[in-house]
Amino acid sequence: MAAKPQVRNAQDAGSAPDDRETHPVDETLPPVKMLTSGLQHVAAMYAGVVAPPLIVGAAVGLSGTELTFLTGASLFTAGLATFLQTLGVWKIGARLPFVNGVTFAGVAPMLAIVDTTDDKADALPVIFGAIIVAGLLGFLAAPWFSRLVRFFPPVVTGTVITLIGVSLLPVAFGWAQGPNPQAEDYGSTTFLSLAAITLVVVLLLRRFTRGFLKQIAVLVGLVIGTVIAIPFGVTDFSPVTEADIVGFPTPFHFGGPQFALAAIISMCVVMLVSMTESTADMLALGEIVERPADEKTIAAGLRADTLGSAISPLFNGFMCSAFAQNIGLVAMTRIRSRFVVACGGGFLVLMGLSPVAASLISVVPRPVLGGAGVVLFGSVAASGIQTLVKAGLEKDNNVLIVAVSLAVGIIPITAPEFYHAFPETAKIILDSGISTGCVAAVVLNVVFNHLGRGRDDDEVTAPMEPGEDISGSHTAKAAHVH
């Protein structure tokens, strides 16, 4: 006799088979909710997408028109990469609510490539050639890289998720102070007040509203903050009036790709950093949406990252990676549908094809984004702490893993010049607190919980309660953490 299909709970028993198998990640939402929630994801990550092309384009010496083109190309390719992640093709794509965009880890090495290129006109083609090679090599390596997932138990993932949130908070604080760190009014009371007002609006909406309005609190907060900023002269509508209605990122607009060995090696290192961060992000998102990312999911997600990176230069885009700030949005809103994020990817593609549409998001003042970012990025850190609760911190070994890994990961935030004497290639990795903290957590977990296991497995008291007795039931909670 054939076995009866299992159901998840009593409510599922009376449901149709399709209902039983539908996970919130795979649900489709009503059109209005889908569109507004997708737009909210775009608003959360827009500044992160456009910053790298603006920085690199300025270093190359591009004109204002060319900078706009490069920015639009980055939005377009971010949308394509997001489609790959959320919708998936074959064994490509994690099929989670995962936003992809230009990774900031590549900015420093790309600037180094610009500096070492004699003819600046060749700088972008050299960068694009290096990204293509790094992307293809990463795509081939994805299945092997994904096998590292067994080294990411809760004690590691919780630490990394917390570091993701903590590492992003300085970005929000920088936004809150204004758009230009060199300006005299940077960090003025006006900018900080606008950030605070936006933060308060988001908190009030989250506290006193329900349903759909509560879920789009960040988007509503951004709109209200932008309107409030108008009398202060902070809201700039000139990008909208000056932008073209339609524009397509012409393939290889800046010239065909050039392949320089030094540049390729540099971008391959960035790819490894990006794959490490993406793995941590997928594990974090899997916990948040209650669909844990296994080895197969991570391999598919890394294929989407790397293939998206290899395709991006065709349309004048840069290396793509997962955007951790959008994980905070998923954690806060509890909207877990991957189709919502795919809708956000659609907005990114449209913005890449229409400079006017792209400029609408750019109207939101940076301090307003900063106020909302505090909630978004703080939510990521809070999710990490929730994961650490499951990590068996009754064990002295796990306490040490978390303590040292957090310390290592926070170094680039609290002491930005700490690694100033190291080579530029090494600083690509060391200046990423997420990467260094992740590596430290994995290595320490192997040393303390795998090598010589059983020699020192005694339970100890929590650091803040030095004399507390460990009961049998308490010990049972410290289940398999490695």
Side-chain angles (χ1 to χ4, degrees), residues 357-380:
S359 64
L360 289 176
I361 297 294
S362 66
V363 168
V364 179
R366 199 63 62 86
V368 173
L369 282 174
V374 170
V375 180
L376 295 177
F377 306 157
S379 296
V380 178

mmCIF file of all heavy atoms in Angstrom, residues 357-380:
data_model
loop_
_atom_site.group_PDB
_atom_site.id
_atom_site.type_symbol
_atom_site.label_atom_id
_atom_site.label_comp_id
_atom_site.label_asym_id
_atom_site.label_seq_id
_atom_site.Cartn_x
_atom_site.Cartn_y
_atom_site.Cartn_z
ATOM 1 N N ALA A 357 12.671 56.979 -14.026
ATOM 2 C CA ALA A 357 12.193 56.115 -12.948
ATOM 3 C C ALA A 357 13.278 55.903 -11.896
ATOM 4 O O ALA A 357 13.004 55.893 -10.694
ATOM 5 C CB ALA A 357 11.741 54.774 -13.521
ATOM 6 N N ALA A 358 14.514 55.731 -12.353
ATOM 7 C CA ALA A 358 15.621 55.551 -11.414
ATOM 8 C C ALA A 358 15.813 56.776 -10.531
ATOM 9 O O ALA A 358 16.129 56.664 -9.349
ATOM 10 C CB ALA A 358 16.909 55.250 -12.178
ATOM 11 N N SER A 359 15.582 57.935 -11.102
ATOM 12 C CA SER A 359 15.808 59.171 -10.354
ATOM 13 C C SER A 359 14.765 59.393 -9.275
ATOM 14 O O SER A 359 14.999 60.161 -8.331
ATOM 15 C CB SER A 359 15.829 60.365 -11.313
ATOM 16 O OG SER A 359 14.565 60.523 -11.939
ATOM 17 N N LEU A 360 13.595 58.759 -9.370
ATOM 18 C CA LEU A 360 12.552 58.960 -8.367
ATOM 19 C C LEU A 360 13.017 58.496 -6.997
ATOM 20 O O LEU A 360 12.793 59.171 -5.989
ATOM 21 C CB LEU A 360 11.275 58.210 -8.778
ATOM 22 C CG LEU A 360 10.496 58.783 -9.955
ATOM 23 C CD1 LEU A 360 9.325 57.882 -10.309
ATOM 24 C CD2 LEU A 360 9.988 60.193 -9.621
ATOM 25 N N ILE A 361 13.656 57.332 -6.943
ATOM 26 C CA ILE A 361 14.157 56.832 -5.665
ATOM 27 C C ILE A 361 15.277 57.724 -5.144
ATOM 28 O O ILE A 361 15.420 57.933 -3.942
ATOM 29 C CB ILE A 361 14.654 55.388 -5.816
ATOM 30 C CG1 ILE A 361 13.491 54.470 -6.210
ATOM 31 C CG2 ILE A 361 15.284 54.886 -4.532
ATOM 32 C CD1 ILE A 361 12.427 54.331 -5.161
ATOM 33 N N SER A 362 16.070 58.286 -6.067
ATOM 34 C CA SER A 362 17.187 59.127 -5.640
ATOM 35 C C SER A 362 16.730 60.430 -5.010
ATOM 36 O O SER A 362 17.529 61.138 -4.392
ATOM 37 C CB SER A 362 18.106 59.421 -6.840
ATOM 38 O OG SER A 362 17.442 60.213 -7.810
ATOM 39 N N VAL A 363 15.436 60.743 -5.166
ATOM 40 C CA VAL A 363 14.898 61.958 -4.542
ATOM 41 C C VAL A 363 14.886 61.836 -3.023
ATOM 42 O O VAL A 363 15.009 62.825 -2.300
ATOM 43 C CB VAL A 363 13.470 62.245 -5.080
ATOM 44 C CG1 VAL A 363 12.769 63.309 -4.249
ATOM 45 C CG2 VAL A 363 13.536 62.684 -6.537
ATOM 46 N N VAL A 364 14.753 60.608 -2.507
ATOM 47 C CA VAL A 364 14.713 60.406 -1.057
ATOM 48 C C VAL A 364 16.028 60.886 -0.444
ATOM 49 O O VAL A 364 17.100 60.394 -0.795
ATOM 50 C CB VAL A 364 14.493 58.924 -0.713
ATOM 51 C CG1 VAL A 364 14.475 58.720 0.802
ATOM 52 C CG2 VAL A 364 13.197 58.420 -1.331
ATOM 53 N N PRO A 365 15.982 61.864 0.467
ATOM 54 C CA PRO A 365 17.220 62.388 1.061
ATOM 55 C C PRO A 365 17.980 61.309 1.823
ATOM 56 O O PRO A 365 17.377 60.409 2.423
ATOM 57 C CB PRO A 365 16.719 63.483 2.007
ATOM 58 C CG PRO A 365 15.368 63.854 1.492
ATOM 59 C CD PRO A 365 14.800 62.590 0.935
ATOM 60 N N ARG A 366 19.283 61.397 1.815
ATOM 61 C CA ARG A 366 20.106 60.401 2.489
ATOM 62 C C ARG A 366 19.801 60.310 3.996
ATOM 63 O O ARG A 366 19.756 59.198 4.544
ATOM 64 C CB ARG A 366 21.587 60.717 2.252
ATOM 65 C CG ARG A 366 22.539 59.562 2.481
ATOM 66 C CD ARG A 366 22.301 58.404 1.519
ATOM 67 N NE ARG A 366 22.502 58.797 0.140
ATOM 68 C CZ ARG A 366 23.679 58.789 -0.473
ATOM 69 N NH1 ARG A 366 24.767 58.432 0.175
ATOM 70 N NH2 ARG A 366 23.768 59.104 -1.753
ATOM 71 N N PRO A 367 19.578 61.421 4.708
ATOM 72 C CA PRO A 367 19.244 61.302 6.130
ATOM 73 C C PRO A 367 17.958 60.516 6.378
ATOM 74 O O PRO A 367 17.844 59.795 7.371
ATOM 75 C CB PRO A 367 19.101 62.755 6.587
ATOM 76 C CG PRO A 367 19.913 63.540 5.625
ATOM 77 C CD PRO A 367 19.753 62.838 4.316
ATOM 78 N N VAL A 368 16.988 60.645 5.470
ATOM 79 C CA VAL A 368 15.741 59.896 5.605
ATOM 80 C C VAL A 368 16.025 58.398 5.457
ATOM 81 O O VAL A 368 15.500 57.576 6.214
ATOM 82 C CB VAL A 368 14.707 60.375 4.553
ATOM 83 C CG1 VAL A 368 13.471 59.489 4.570
ATOM 84 C CG2 VAL A 368 14.325 61.824 4.819
ATOM 85 N N LEU A 369 16.862 58.052 4.489
ATOM 86 C CA LEU A 369 17.271 56.659 4.336
ATOM 87 C C LEU A 369 17.988 56.162 5.595
ATOM 88 O O LEU A 369 17.813 55.014 6.013
ATOM 89 C CB LEU A 369 18.199 56.503 3.132
ATOM 90 C CG LEU A 369 17.560 56.475 1.741
ATOM 91 C CD1 LEU A 369 18.644 56.467 0.677
ATOM 92 C CD2 LEU A 369 16.653 55.271 1.582
ATOM 93 N N GLY A 370 18.782 57.027 6.189
ATOM 94 C CA GLY A 370 19.515 56.653 7.395
ATOM 95 C C GLY A 370 18.591 56.316 8.554
ATOM 96 O O GLY A 370 18.825 55.341 9.285
ATOM 97 N N GLY A 371 17.532 57.107 8.720
ATOM 98 C CA GLY A 371 16.587 56.832 9.799
ATOM 99 C C GLY A 371 15.915 55.484 9.638
ATOM 100 O O GLY A 371 15.775 54.722 10.605
ATOM 101 N N ALA A 372 15.522 55.159 8.410
ATOM 102 C CA ALA A 372 14.907 53.860 8.151
ATOM 103 C C ALA A 372 15.934 52.736 8.269
ATOM 104 O O ALA A 372 15.625 51.627 8.712
ATOM 105 C CB ALA A 372 14.276 53.848 6.760
ATOM 106 N N GLY A 373 17.183 53.030 7.878
ATOM 107 C CA GLY A 373 18.231 52.019 7.926
ATOM 108 C C GLY A 373 18.533 51.532 9.330
ATOM 109 O O GLY A 373 18.909 50.372 9.520
ATOM 110 N N VAL A 374 18.363 52.392 10.319
ATOM 111 C CA VAL A 374 18.600 51.978 11.706
ATOM 112 C C VAL A 374 17.686 50.811 12.070
ATOM 113 O O VAL A 374 18.111 49.829 12.696
ATOM 114 C CB VAL A 374 18.370 53.165 12.664
ATOM 115 C CG1 VAL A 374 18.381 52.699 14.115
ATOM 116 C CG2 VAL A 374 19.437 54.230 12.452
ATOM 117 N N VAL A 375 16.418 50.910 11.659
ATOM 118 C CA VAL A 375 15.466 49.834 11.937
ATOM 119 C C VAL A 375 15.817 48.586 11.137
ATOM 120 O O VAL A 375 15.847 47.471 11.668
ATOM 121 C CB VAL A 375 14.025 50.275 11.606
ATOM 122 C CG1 VAL A 375 13.045 49.151 11.895
ATOM 123 C CG2 VAL A 375 13.652 51.511 12.411
ATOM 124 N N LEU A 376 16.094 48.770 9.850
ATOM 125 C CA LEU A 376 16.362 47.625 8.977
ATOM 126 C C LEU A 376 17.594 46.849 9.427
ATOM 127 O O LEU A 376 17.561 45.626 9.582
ATOM 128 C CB LEU A 376 16.547 48.105 7.541
ATOM 129 C CG LEU A 376 15.333 48.744 6.862
ATOM 130 C CD1 LEU A 376 15.712 49.217 5.469
ATOM 131 C CD2 LEU A 376 14.194 47.756 6.781
ATOM 132 N N PHE A 377 18.697 47.563 9.612
ATOM 133 C CA PHE A 377 19.945 46.891 9.920
ATOM 134 C C PHE A 377 19.959 46.368 11.356
ATOM 135 O O PHE A 377 20.553 45.325 11.644
ATOM 136 C CB PHE A 377 21.121 47.829 9.678
ATOM 137 C CG PHE A 377 21.126 48.423 8.284
ATOM 138 C CD1 PHE A 377 21.785 49.619 8.011
ATOM 139 C CD2 PHE A 377 20.459 47.803 7.244
ATOM 140 C CE1 PHE A 377 21.789 50.168 6.734
ATOM 141 C CE2 PHE A 377 20.445 48.335 5.962
ATOM 142 C CZ PHE A 377 21.107 49.516 5.707
ATOM 143 N N GLY A 378 19.316 47.099 12.253
ATOM 144 C CA GLY A 378 19.202 46.610 13.624
ATOM 145 C C GLY A 378 18.402 45.324 13.696
ATOM 146 O O GLY A 378 18.679 44.455 14.531
ATOM 147 N N SER A 379 17.429 45.181 12.796
ATOM 148 C CA SER A 379 16.620 43.953 12.766
ATOM 149 C C SER A 379 17.468 42.746 12.388
ATOM 150 O O SER A 379 17.229 41.629 12.863
ATOM 151 C CB SER A 379 15.468 44.109 11.770
ATOM 152 O OG SER A 379 14.571 45.121 12.170
ATOM 153 N N VAL A 380 18.461 42.951 11.530
ATOM 154 C CA VAL A 380 19.355 41.855 11.157
ATOM 155 C C VAL A 380 20.155 41.399 12.381
ATOM 156 O O VAL A 380 20.263 40.200 12.660
ATOM 157 C CB VAL A 380 20.314 42.282 10.026
ATOM 158 C CG1 VAL A 380 21.273 41.147 9.687
ATOM 159 C CG2 VAL A 380 19.526 42.686 8.788
#
